[in-house]
Amino acid sequence: MLTTHTDALPPARTRSPGASPAAGPGRPRTGPPGRRDTRRPGGPRTAPAQDVRRRPARPQPHNWFAEQLLLTLSGRRPVHALLGHALPAAYDRLVELAPQTPLRPTGTPANRYAPAPSVLHCGLCRPRPGVIEAFARIASGERLRALAFRLELGSDARWRCAAVDIGPSDRVW
């Protein structure tokens, strides 16, 4: 039996009479008509699974503020980064504390580089609706520090820091 070139080709695809040439099986085409480029990153486009589309959960306000206060009081972020996130009294306190960098990394005994301070735990108490009183344990090298702050919910539904306090340190303010 003799095989020809046309016998080796796959069978041609046929369209149903009502199908649009631009629509694929169950999804509209997004590229120019006639484009069949599979070299895009990730190969041909496919619809992501439903559980992949979920957005990551927003951090709780007390956790977010603990991180931001740590960045400011360790000297890794300027104090004015919290300007819109703090009430005047708390912002004034931050302006006093920030130049001293009370939560900066502490040196190791051999004067080697110390790891950046991090929030170990952040807890909260809700004394009344719209108020959060929070505390954070900060690890800085081999030392543990305490950070306490109060958050108040504004009329614009944004949390703002109303007070900041740091546990005892070597310095006297």
Side-chain angles (χ1 to χ4, degrees):
M1 178 162 134
L2 184 62
T3 326
T4 63
H5 174 66
T6 56
D7 293 337
L9 292 176
R13 292 187 180 184
T14 58
R15 269 193 305 230
S16 60
S20 165
R27 62 185 164 100
R29 284 196 41 81
T30 57
R35 182 170 182 173
R36 301 281 186 251
D37 188 2
T38 58
R39 295 173 293 162
R40 292 182 178 148
R45 291 188 182 184
T46 57
Q50 287 297 332
D51 46 327
V52 175
R53 290 186 182 187
R54 288 187 200 151
R55 288 184 178 176
R58 292 181 97 184
Q60 295 293 321
H62 64 287
N63 291 326
W64 186 85
F65 271 94
E67 288 290 336
Q68 300 308 309
L69 291 170
L70 172 62
L71 290 173
T72 300
L73 296 175
S74 65
R76 291 186 287 168
R77 180 168 290 169
V79 70
H80 66 266
L82 290 174
L83 186 57
H85 300 285
L87 297 176
Y91 186 77
D92 291 343
R93 179 74 174 138
L94 286 170
V95 168
E96 291 173 18
L97 291 173
Q100 301 170 12
T101 59
L103 297 179
R104 74 183 175 285
T106 56
T108 57
N111 238 359
R112 286 183 258 154
Y113 176 76
S118 61
V119 177
L120 288 183
H121 176 74
C122 189
L124 73 125
C125 172
R126 295 182 185 260
R128 64 173 196 253
V131 174
I132 294 176
E133 291 183 350
F135 65 90
R137 276 181 251 158
I138 311 293
S140 178
E142 294 184 7
R143 293 188 62 192
L144 275 180
R145 299 292 309 270
L147 173 66
F149 53 97
R150 179 183 175 100
L151 304 176
E152 294 180 1
L153 188 62
S155 58
D156 59 352
R158 291 180 55 201
W159 290 97
R160 289 186 175 78
C161 185
V164 177
D165 194 20
I166 296 181
S169 78
D170 301 335
R171 296 183 187 156
V172 177
W173 295 301

